[in-house]
Amino acid sequence: MAKDVMSESELYKFLGKYGIKTPECKSVGLDEKISFSKFPAVIKIQSPKVVHKSDVGGVILHLNSNEDLENGRRQIIENLKKHNITLDSNDGFIITQMVFGEELYVGSVEDATFGNVILFGKGGIYLELYKDVCYIEANARKDEIKRAIATTKIGELFHGFRGFDYKEEWAINLIESVQKMLKENNIKELDINPLKLTKDGLIAVDARILKGDSTYKEDNREKKRPDFLDNKRVVIVGANTEKGKTGYTIARNARSFEGELFYVNAKGGELFGKKLYKSVNDIEGDIDTAVIVVAAKFVIPTIHDLVKKNLKNLIIITAGFKEAGNEKDELEIARLGKEHNFNIMGPNCLGFYEDSKKLNITFGTGEVHSGDLAFISQSGAVLASLMDRAAELNIGFSHLFSIGNAADLRAVDLIPMLDSAKTCKAITIYIEGAARGRSLCESIRNCKKPIYLFKAAKSEAAKKAAFSHTGNLSGNYAMFHGIMKSLGVHVVETLDSLIFAPLFKDVKNIVVITNAGGPGTVLTDAISNAGKNLYELNASQIAELDKALPPMWSHNNPIDVIGDALPDRYEHALKIADKFDNIDLIYMLITPQDMTDALGTVKILKQHNFKHKVVPILLGGENMREARKFCLDNDILFFASIAQACEFLPQS
Amino acid sequence: MAKDVMSESELYKFLGKYGIKTPECKSVGLDEKISFSKFPAVIKIQSPKVVHKSDVGGVILHLNSNEDLENGRRQIIENLKKHNITLDSNDGFIITQMVFGEELYVGSVEDATFGNVILFGKGGIYLELYKDVCYIEANARKDEIKRAIATTKIGELFHGFRGFDYKEEWAINLIESVQKMLKENNIKELDINPLKLTKDGLIAVDARILKGDSTYKEDNREKKRPDFLDNKRVVIVGANTEKGKTGYTIARNARSFEGELFYVNAKGGELFGKKLYKSVNDIEGDIDTAVIVVAAKFVIPTIHDLVKKNLKNLIIITAGFKEAGNEKDELEIARLGKEHNFNIMGPNCLGFYEDSKKLNITFGTGEVHSGDLAFISQSGAVLASLMDRAAELNIGFSHLFSIGNAADLRAVDLIPMLDSAKTCKAITIYIEGAARGRSLCESIRNCKKPIYLFKAAKSEAAKKAAFSHTGNLSGNYAMFHGIMKSLGVHVVETLDSLIFAPLFKDVKNIVVITNAGGPGTVLTDAISNAGKNLYELNASQIAELDKALPPMWSHNNPIDVIGDALPDRYEHALKIADKFDNIDLIYMLITPQDMTDALGTVKILKQHNFKHKVVPILLGGENMREARKFCLDNDILFFASIAQACEFLPQS
């Protein structure tokens, strides 16, 4: 790896080539006449004999004329003499204009996941202190750059903060120049700090460039592999007659498939009224899709049989590969996929679900409801937990993908497929360690559907834990988060948000009906904090509520129906609120007070078909048990705390 | 209100009086010889004829000698001539040393809740952009000032950031000078921005002082009122024989009281085998404590009867006062309390509970467990919800206070009583709008027990809601939060944290036992994010676990017992982990996988008495219902999501 560090004047020239402004600067000899025109200026010694210029009086600041500069030069020569440094004809001086302005920063690093990544934000010593920077992928488009800048606080400087007339275009042009520079040169690291924001634009004052060949490399995955969502003939290798075994659960779940389904087990026999083939070879004709549940050592031999059947898609449930230290077999499986042009999901995964064909080859124990959300998970257990939670709350899915060890297929490959899938309206992703980051950005950039994402292994302790269970290396979370935000991804901060944030994605205006002011206030804070709006009641709505509610009601949203509210009062308020236009959600907040009938109140939701989404928040414990059970038994989505009801609303 | 704005040189002199450094500065006439010694310097016109100095060339920067200063003065005179400004002997110039350093800020505002409050933090334009400031109460002690500074990012500058040798003492001394200045002068607003941080200390460059008489005023509450926790003879006025009525519930709950209990109802008769007195006057002897549940209009007449009985404590459950627009009667009640020297809790409150005397005069419907946490709530419904949740999870209380409209008693008055109460180990407070802020600070400052606090009505929308239900005005949340932090209060961010944060207050080192790597990683992130520590397993602990667990276990904390773990495997791991010293908590994370027996796994907690606190986290839905029910039925504290299990851990 070649390294190279440029001198100040070389740097200024190099930056100038990319249209990046630098301060006026001039080299002068030991006694030539000085003619400089940008003041105040600095004069500095330029000599291989002097390393730490300031320490030997080799820098003089705040000079306002050529006479001052010449005096300054004389002063430096004298200062150096005191340090026993005598200059000769190889030495000289550099004069630089002093630039005053806000200290910003632009730089780049080479990241293992994403390759070259640009950082832009507050500079000077505050770069480190405030970390007010955004991250921009090397191929980011203008809209991504703008979105990235908008995540920084200093971004406000470009939007009229305190009447400043700094143009956002300056920052965008600069970042695009850096993108170009990174493409045309081998640059490992770039640091322009400070980058001064002045009324004449951005000026790079100090810069450092570390040249070197890129070590970033993406495994190339051919785009020509078959369509993973085209499954007509499916075989389950390892279908098992013993209840409790994974091969049993998958075979059972798969029965609803609307295409042709085959079971294979070396023992032969019958399962769910279907023949158990002793070998894949015994099945006539081609196989689109195979699910492997056999022991790890049988996986590769099974694949050899399957490729003879023109296999398109392979789902390996079996564990015992990279995550267990057996990387060799996993690489061989990946190699076979490449060689024989089939997709691989897994190994060590929970399976796959496609709603439109009722193809459920997961070993989740519960049912999956129909829906329009596709979920891609790098953890089978996270998927299983959320499937379980979703089933109970009647939240449905269009697709479920458990990518396991991701020997082949990852989110980056699945996103384009889902973007074309009609039944999918939004994509939600749980990720621990990303690979092929540049391609992932490209997949997301081209995807027209909203994407929600949770990234695990943010902390050092968790990176260690993640590595121990998947062998995946997790990178810098701030960078990952920043790049995803710049791409318009909704990054969520809790697991539950993976299913709730897409479900509530269109919520802007909220009405709250409550039997208590305090919790109503807390909910209002949470809604405001999430950037959502408490719908403002108009005079006629207030008048209508006045007729239905006791005089003490809040006359405001939250609609406080007062502590002694029985179900009928909630019902009156709900019916009126349901008529409001321009609202997206009604939270029905119930606290256990003296007269409260929580069960009776949630029953209203079964008795009426409300036009708007109505979601109960059942605060408390003991006194809410019956009402919560009723909701669960009747597929009514509810929350048990205000925190839970709002954690997914901010889609950062 | 007198207003007064000082000139630059007056200001410098005033600040100097309080030991606050200002730049070297000198006034000079139109043609007197200049002799200044601190360079670079600035020369500015000082004339009533010139308002916007820079606009007319009235300021020249970066001057390095007296000769330069004289040239600068000449230049300004010429610049002004071009703007048709001719100077005369009343005009002059001011020369100031240019100061280079980090731009900080110190200032003060007068706040309705706290009186004078000092702000300290990052200055310049970044004051507004980063809001990296802390808030310091006028009487804050040195330790509070230090704690406040530590909440800012720029606080790091005083702790060796980048090798800087800036002393924290400089900042503390400066803030103490401002405290002194505020005490000795009538100052409404102070702004020192920038306050330059240089190697020679903090130097106030620009300052603005707005003088004026303070409008801050606290209602004086006599400290000599009786001890609210001294209750021997208690009467319930409005005890009711009709089930479902508040007067019935309170009379029922109060039966466990270990002192003397009387019921009063104008109708007479009997309740729970006790006489219903028709009037307070019929009871012989004095009454310590009265609980009023009668209609609003009877409250004041009842008080007149009660004061004849040497009333010490009055709890008014009845609503219909300030919150309903009836401020007059509430003020009269407060006046009576002052006149006759009794404490008032309420009106419009849920009541009071004191565990040591089994005195339960709340209208909560469930039982209250014994514990060592005192809860003061400004919302009855918040208290009721958390009592309900606590009852279900076997969390106990030493005291419960519902302060309602707070006509008299508030947290500020209750904290000192609780600090002396033997059965209380920690205090948790739900507050919407604070009053008597300076006294509140003093109460907290003197309290030796840990205090947890949730503040509602942070957002503008919520302030409106809170005002509508209690008539309380809520101030600036950032200021409230900052002052509480400086006082060492643990400010929590969710309602549930009010009961969980004190319960988990001593947790530092955590062990996680999980059947899945992904959720284990997410939990690890949440634990790290909360500033807690994943306990590191040592070699002998790993060896012991190796014997009990399958070879694939994680060999690390989280202890991943692998997806097919049955209860026995959790049990082995738990028994081993329970032997670890220096751990404070074991989270038992259970996800619904193929073989998972969540119910069987939580049953372990009933079968063994573990030395350490073991808390299950039951991720999922349908498949976790039985296990969750088992926990609820058996008083086992559990959580249903990782977010819920960790939201209270960071005690900011």
Side-chain angles (χ1 to χ4, degrees), chain A residues 131 143 171 210 215 251 265 348 358-359 378 402 556 561 563 602 639:
Chain A
K131 297 179 180 69
D143 61 316
L210 178 65
T215 52
N265 188 307
N348 184 25
K358 298 287 165 218
L359 177 56
Q378 204 173 351
S402 167
N556 193 6
V561 295
V602 294
F639 295 106

Side-chain angles (χ1 to χ4, degrees), chain A residues 342-633:
Chain A
F342 59 86
N343 301 298
I344 306 159
M345 177 160 298
N348 184 25
C349 80
L350 189 85
F352 165 63
Y353 172 83
E354 191 180 6
D355 190 59
S356 63
K357 299 188 193 99
K358 298 287 165 218
L359 177 56
N360 183 355
I361 39 184
T362 69
F363 60 96
T365 49
E367 73 183 313
V368 183
H369 295 256
S370 283
D372 54 21
L373 178 64
F375 188 172
I376 304 168
S377 179
Q378 204 173 351
S379 157
V382 165
L383 183 62
S385 304
L386 287 171
M387 280 168 73
D388 197 28
R389 179 134 171 76
E392 168 175 83
L393 297 170
N394 196 23
I395 297 172
F397 297 99
S398 64
H399 301 82
L400 298 170
F401 303 90
S402 167
I403 65 167
N405 291 1
D408 173 27
L409 287 176
R410 293 179 165 270
V412 42
D413 313 302
L414 298 169
I415 291 167
M417 300 178 196
L418 290 168
D419 199 29
S420 311
K422 274 191 199 123
T423 51
C424 160
K425 294 257 167 66
I427 301 165
T428 199
I429 304 172
Y430 168 89
I431 201 165
E432 284 170 14
R436 289 189 270 142
R438 202 171 274 179
S439 298
L440 176 63
C441 291
E442 198 59 25
S443 283
I444 295 172
R445 190 171 283 138
N446 295 327
C447 179
K448 290 171 292 295
K449 294 175 181 171
I451 297 176
Y452 299 80
L453 185 143
F454 178 96
K455 169 77 168 69
K458 301 166 188 174
S459 58
E460 288 312 311
K463 282 179 195 177
K464 203 171 130 191
F467 183 74
S468 109
H469 91 97
T470 62
N472 279 310
L473 278 171
S474 315
N476 173 335
Y477 180 62
M479 179 184 288
F480 186 88
H481 182 264
I483 290 177
M484 290 301 119
K485 294 259 298 178
S486 75
L487 288 159
V489 169
H490 304 289
V491 182
V492 299
E493 296 300 336
T494 65
L495 289 181
D496 281 357
S497 302
L498 281 168
I499 54 174
F500 292 121
L503 198 68
F504 286 76
K505 68 178 185 291
D506 299 321
V507 168
K508 281 185 198 75
N509 291 298
I510 301 175
V511 168
V512 173
I513 301 175
T514 177
N515 66 345
T521 305
V522 175
L523 179 56
T524 301
D525 273 327
I527 288 169
S528 294
N529 189 38
K532 305 300 172 192
N533 184 39
L534 262 280
Y535 176 80
E536 190 135 352
L537 304 180
N538 65 35
S540 77
Q541 289 162 344
I542 290 177
E544 196 174 353
L545 285 161
D546 256 338
K547 278 178 220 152
L549 298 178
M552 288 276 296
W553 80 278
S554 58
H555 291 75
N556 193 6
N557 178 19
I559 299 170
D560 184 347
V561 295
I562 311 299
D564 60 353
L566 293 174
D568 64 319
R569 208 185 288 161
Y570 271 100
E571 192 176 357
H572 294 319
L574 265 175
K575 282 181 171 172
I576 295 169
D578 197 45
K579 289 189 282 181
F580 299 171
D581 293 325
N582 305 321
I583 68 165
D584 311 301
L585 172 64
I586 301 172
Y587 273 134
M588 186 166 76
L589 186 59
I590 308 176
T591 63
Q593 300 201 54
D594 203 20
M595 316 273 291
T596 309
D597 173 8
L599 176 62
T601 307
V602 294
K603 279 185 176 167
I604 302 168
L605 301 182
K606 210 65 199 166
Q607 290 150 8
H608 298 280
N609 257 327
F610 292 107
K611 182 175 72 179
H612 294 297
K613 196 194 289 266
V614 181
V615 179
I617 304 175
L618 303 168
L619 288 196
E622 211 62 51
N623 283 305
M624 291 294 146
R625 281 174 80 167
E626 282 188 336
R628 287 175 184 163
K629 188 168 181 308
F630 181 86
C631 289
L632 292 176
D633 292 343

Side-chain angles (χ1 to χ4, degrees), chain A residues 40 61-64 67-68 98 100 102-104 122 124-126 128-130 132 153-154 156-157 161-162 164 193 244-247 249 320 323-324 363 365-366 379-382 384-386 388-389 391-392 430 432 454-466 468-469 494-496 515-522 524-525 528-529 534 536 552 554 556-558 560 591-595 619-625 628-629 632-633 640-644 647, chain B residues 40 61-64 67-68 98 100 102-104 122 124-126 128-130 132 153-154 156-157 161-162 164 193 244-246 249 320 323-324 363 365-366 379-382 384-386 388-389 391-392 430 432 454-466 468-469 494-496 515-522 524-525 528-529 534 536 552 554 556-558 560 590-595 619-625 628-629 632-633 640-644 647:
Chain A
L61 303 159
H62 304 288
L63 301 170
N64 288 315
E67 200 189 329
D68 284 358
M98 285 183 82
F100 299 93
E102 300 312 323
E103 291 190 322
L104 303 190
K122 175 74 185 127
I125 65 163
Y126 298 99
E128 204 179 319
L129 206 57
Y130 287 125
D132 183 30
K153 293 221 156 78
I154 59 103
E156 290 181 41
L157 296 178
F161 177 81
R162 286 195 150 206
F164 292 148
N193 189 16
K245 293 280 182 189
T246 309
T249 312
E323 90 287 0
F363 60 96
T365 49
S379 157
V382 165
S385 304
L386 287 171
D388 197 28
R389 179 134 171 76
E392 168 175 83
Y430 168 89
E432 284 170 14
F454 178 96
K455 169 77 168 69
K458 301 166 188 174
S459 58
E460 288 312 311
K463 282 179 195 177
K464 203 171 130 191
S468 109
H469 91 97
T494 65
L495 289 181
D496 281 357
N515 66 345
T521 305
V522 175
T524 301
D525 273 327
S528 294
N529 189 38
L534 262 280
E536 190 135 352
M552 288 276 296
S554 58
N556 193 6
N557 178 19
D560 184 347
T591 63
Q593 300 201 54
D594 203 20
M595 316 273 291
L619 288 196
E622 211 62 51
N623 283 305
M624 291 294 146
R625 281 174 80 167
R628 287 175 184 163
K629 188 168 181 308
L632 292 176
D633 292 343
S641 75
I642 290 171
Q644 204 183 54
E647 66 179 35
Chain B
L61 304 160
H62 304 289
L63 301 171
N64 286 314
E67 199 189 330
D68 284 359
M98 286 182 81
F100 298 94
E102 301 311 323
E103 291 190 322
L104 304 190
K122 175 75 185 126
I125 65 164
Y126 297 99
E128 205 178 319
L129 206 58
Y130 287 124
D132 182 30
K153 292 218 157 84
I154 57 102
E156 290 182 40
L157 295 178
F161 178 79
R162 286 193 150 208
F164 292 150
N193 190 14
K245 293 281 184 191
T246 308
T249 312
E323 90 289 356
F363 62 96
T365 49
S379 158
V382 165
S385 305
L386 287 173
D388 198 27
R389 181 135 170 72
E392 165 173 89
Y430 168 90
E432 285 171 13
F454 179 97
K455 168 78 168 69
K458 301 166 188 174
S459 59
E460 288 312 311
K463 282 179 194 175
K464 204 171 132 189
S468 110
H469 92 98
T494 66
L495 289 182
D496 282 356
N515 65 346
T521 305
V522 175
T524 301
D525 273 328
S528 294
N529 190 39
L534 263 279
E536 192 137 351
M552 290 273 298
S554 58
N556 193 5
N557 177 18
D560 184 347
I590 308 177
T591 64
Q593 300 202 54
D594 205 18
M595 315 274 290
L619 288 195
E622 212 61 50
N623 284 305
M624 292 294 146
R625 282 174 79 169
R628 287 175 185 163
K629 190 170 179 306
L632 291 177
D633 293 343
S641 74
I642 290 171
Q644 207 182 54
E647 65 180 36

